[in-house]
Amino acid sequence: MFWIIIALLIFIFQIATILIVEFRQPSKTVAWLLILFIFPIIGFVMYYFLAREFQRRRTVRKRSVVAEEMRLQALMRCRIVHRPGDMNNKQFNTQERFFGLLQSMTLSPITGCNETVVLTNALAAYRAILGSIEKARHHIHVEFYTIRDDKIGRRLKEALIRKAKQGVEVRLIYDGVGSLELGGQYIRELNEAGVETHCFLTPRLAFFEKRMNYRNHRKIVVVDGLAGFFGGINIGDEYLGGNPKLGFWRDTHMKVEGDAVYFLQDVFMRDWWFTTKQRLTGPEYLPEHNCKGNEQVQIVSSGPNSSEDAILECVFSAISVAKTRIYITTPYFIPDNSVLMGLRTAALSGLDVRIIIPDVSDSKLVLYASLSYVAEMLAAGVRIYRYKKGFIHAKVLIVDDLIASVGSANLDMRSFFSNFELNGLFFDERTLKVLDDDYKKDMEDSEELHLSAFQQRPRWQKSAEVVARMLSPLL
């Protein structure tokens, strides 16, 4: 009896700890309690090492001091948009409140002198990235969540080695978990050629610092401070359709030249300092550009070390100001309550709300979690499509003819709260038209779900969705 009482007290202590620490995020609390009930001791050990709150204040203060001088230089060289009336998109004349939210993100304002290219799928993205790398004269900055030692991974390695031997500064950041399978030989060959490589939170370091849950999910390439690339595409043959289980891989990446590249550079330099404690300074990293375009672009980054959830705030605000349509493409649909309510309310109000999700997925658990939201979305009038041509990995949001978002962040709680992410916001008619055309093509390659048919799915699948939904805040 004595040991039973001791075990019970320990269990109560574990429950109380989770309730006290996670009281701000009830859904996350439920997920950890479920794990704790299934694995009483192991669950708490997992919680201790995986769920520690990132040390925000101290890290934010250090990072801001390190990069402040360079960011001020970037602001001085940019054409910054300060008023809704200065936007090329005249719909902002009636969007003072939304514009105010975007303008409040002082680390990366709306820039006015840019040229952009939508890179639909990996083949176009890899060609553009490798082509830009070949033209590099001073530096190449590369940051990916996943890099694989396969055909395209070796092409990237060879290109970086070639440029390093030509005297170009080459720096590479890769995530410790996302690139877990990347062999040491790959990195050694880069280092021997003069490429500086660093792993963002190696699994061992992340485990003992209790930061395993926080990953760098960004995908950034900056060449000479003049051309920048970002979006949803990592480095791996599967993005070219090389995974037989997933087949054709549908994705979206962006190329930008002009003012916005300075802020892509700023994010990379902050991540470089975080990873290496080396400060990158000098005008050569923020060179004068000859961009003739007038497209307006805003780079938005977020992460667990930030005092703001910038990407979530942008997504929620964009949904809340929609007047006619909200189009979303996401491989992982696990929204927080605010986004979920925003989408339901928009659809119930008569807006055209559409969401494209995969039919096949690289994660069954995440797919079931996504499907757990489908019935309530359909009941509210949201139109849901499952992509049939292969696996859709693009992360795109289009609201009216007002704004589009493309980047690395999925519409899930991991991207909103746990990952280091980066999105670009686009406001000009030409870019929105290209993204809209891509969206319509994706709908043609998808099958629309209907509530009556979806409700007939097997009981085992419904049960799997329930479990996955409870665990979804941790996925």
Side-chain angles (χ1 to χ4, degrees):
M1 181 64 69
F2 172 78
W3 291 111
I4 293 176
I5 293 174
I6 294 297
L8 181 60
L9 290 175
I10 292 174
F11 190 63
I12 293 173
F13 169 78
Q14 294 173 351
I15 294 174
T17 300
I18 293 176
L19 290 173
I20 293 170
V21 175
E22 301 295 345
F23 76 97
R24 297 180 187 276
Q25 298 185 53
S27 58
K28 188 176 178 181
T29 303
V30 171
W32 278 114
L33 288 178
L34 175 62
I35 293 175
L36 183 62
F37 274 102
I38 297 174
F39 309 105
I41 302 299
I42 297 174
F44 191 75
V45 173
M46 292 172 60
Y47 175 79
Y48 179 78
F49 282 103
L50 297 179
R52 176 187 176 185
E53 179 72 8
F54 212 96
Q55 295 176 353
R56 293 188 176 190
R57 295 180 182 176
R58 185 177 64 185
T59 307
V60 168
R61 184 165 59 249
K62 286 183 178 180
R63 286 160 63 89
S64 62
V65 169
V66 165
E68 185 67 20
E69 180 182 345
M70 296 295 286
R71 190 178 66 83
L72 290 175
Q73 290 181 23
L75 289 171
M76 292 174 60
R77 294 186 178 184
C78 288
R79 184 194 305 168
I80 305 300
V81 181
H82 295 288
R83 300 179 303 170
D86 294 332
M87 295 291 289
N88 297 336
N89 190 330
K90 295 310 174 185
Q91 290 193 29
F92 272 91
N93 289 336
T94 58
Q95 294 289 355
E96 291 86 357
R97 182 178 175 184
F98 184 41
F99 182 85
L101 181 278
L102 298 179
Q103 193 179 38
S104 70
M105 299 177 185
T106 54
L107 286 179
S108 182
I110 300 173
T111 59
C113 185
N114 298 283
E115 293 177 287
T116 66
V117 178
V118 179
L119 301 168
T120 305
N121 297 323
L123 183 60
Y126 291 152
R127 284 176 176 172
I129 291 171
L130 292 172
S132 187
I133 286 174
E134 286 300 324
K135 298 175 183 177
R137 293 294 177 265
H138 181 266
H139 66 270
I140 301 167
H141 291 162
V142 179
E143 179 174 349
F144 282 103
Y145 175 66
T146 299
I147 299 177
R148 300 199 188 281
D149 188 3
D150 52 18
K151 290 181 180 179
I152 189 61
R154 288 189 286 274
R155 285 186 62 190
L156 174 67
K157 179 184 66 176
E158 291 164 2
L160 297 180
I161 288 174
R162 186 162 54 250
K163 299 309 292 186
K165 289 182 176 179
Q166 293 173 8
V168 175
E169 296 178 12
V170 184
R171 299 179 177 91
L172 170 68
I173 300 173
Y174 58 97
D175 185 77
V177 172
S179 300
L180 187 62
E181 297 178 3
L182 187 63
Q185 181 63 28
Y186 187 101
I187 299 300
R188 280 192 295 273
E189 290 180 21
L190 288 169
N191 292 338
E192 289 170 359
V195 178
E196 293 186 70
T197 65
H198 288 277
C199 181
F200 186 95
L201 287 181
T202 63
R204 181 181 300 177
L205 176 65
F207 181 79
F208 287 106
E209 287 192 358
K210 297 182 283 293
R211 294 182 180 181
M212 183 68 76
N213 196 43
Y214 303 107
R215 310 314 317 170
N216 190 326
H217 197 239
R218 294 169 181 153
K219 307 99 169 63
I220 301 172
V221 176
V222 177
V223 177
D224 288 339
L226 299 173
F229 302 84
F230 63 94
I233 298 172
N234 287 294
I235 302 298
D237 287 348
E238 65 264 37
Y239 291 82
L240 294 167
N243 186 325
K245 293 183 179 180
L246 299 177
F248 176 76
W249 189 295
R250 169 73 182 92
D251 221 319
T252 300
H253 221 67
M254 298 297 301
K255 176 182 180 181
V256 62
E257 296 177 301
D259 293 342
V261 180
Y262 294 152
F263 296 95
L264 281 178
Q265 186 82 291
D266 177 67
V267 174
F268 179 88
M269 290 192 295
R270 290 168 184 268
D271 288 346
W272 186 257
W273 179 88
F274 179 90
T275 307
T276 70
K277 298 301 182 287
Q278 298 174 7
R279 182 179 179 183
L280 300 178
T281 60
E284 61 273 16
Y285 297 114
L286 301 174
E288 295 285 350
H289 60 72
N290 298 313
C291 177
K292 301 296 192 297
N294 66 344
E295 292 183 58
Q296 295 169 335
V297 177
Q298 184 172 20
I299 302 299
V300 180
S301 62
S302 66
N305 62 336
S306 173
S307 58
E308 301 174 347
D309 300 313
I311 291 179
L312 173 59
E313 291 168 3
C314 286
V315 170
F316 174 78
S317 298
I319 290 172
S320 67
V321 302
K323 295 180 179 179
T324 59
R325 64 167 179 166
I326 301 168
Y327 288 178
I328 293 171
T329 304
T330 181
Y332 315 127
F333 181 68
I334 308 175
D336 83 321
N337 288 333
S338 64
V339 172
L340 189 65
M341 182 60 69
L343 293 173
R344 291 186 70 256
T345 302
L348 289 169
S349 301
L351 274 64
D352 181 10
V353 183
R354 306 186 187 199
I355 304 173
I356 300 177
I357 60 175
D359 187 59
V360 296
S361 178
D362 58 346
S363 171
K364 282 287 187 181
L365 185 60
V366 173
L367 179 60
Y368 287 136
S370 298
L371 292 176
S372 72
Y373 294 88
V374 167
E376 59 189 295
M377 291 286 98
L378 293 174
V382 177
R383 300 179 69 178
I384 307 285
Y385 299 80
R386 294 189 69 175
Y387 189 75
K388 291 289 187 176
K389 189 176 179 179
F391 175 50
I392 193 160
H393 189 255
K395 306 99 165 41
V396 178
L397 167 68
I398 305 172
V399 174
D400 300 342
D401 294 319
L402 178 73
I403 186 174
S405 170
V406 178
S408 66
N410 300 301
L411 204 71
D412 65 4
M413 285 181 271
R414 167 161 287 283
S415 286
F416 290 152
F417 301 118
S418 298
N419 285 345
F420 294 80
E421 304 279 5
L422 184 139
N423 281 12
L425 305 181
F426 305 91
F427 312 95
D428 288 74
E429 179 181 358
R430 184 190 63 81
T431 302
L432 267 65
K433 177 66 165 57
V434 175
L435 293 170
D436 182 65
D437 289 344
D438 283 350
Y439 195 91
K440 290 174 180 175
K441 176 62 170 63
D442 291 337
M443 284 196 298
E444 293 175 2
D445 294 327
S446 303
E447 178 183 341
E448 185 172 3
L449 299 180
H450 298 282
L451 183 59
S452 58
F454 185 74
Q455 290 176 331
Q456 302 304 312
R457 65 198 187 282
R459 288 185 178 180
W460 67 263
Q461 181 176 328
K462 294 180 181 178
S463 299
E465 291 172 9
V466 170
V467 175
R469 174 76 168 260
M470 294 180 69
L471 295 173
S472 64
L474 310 180
L475 300 179

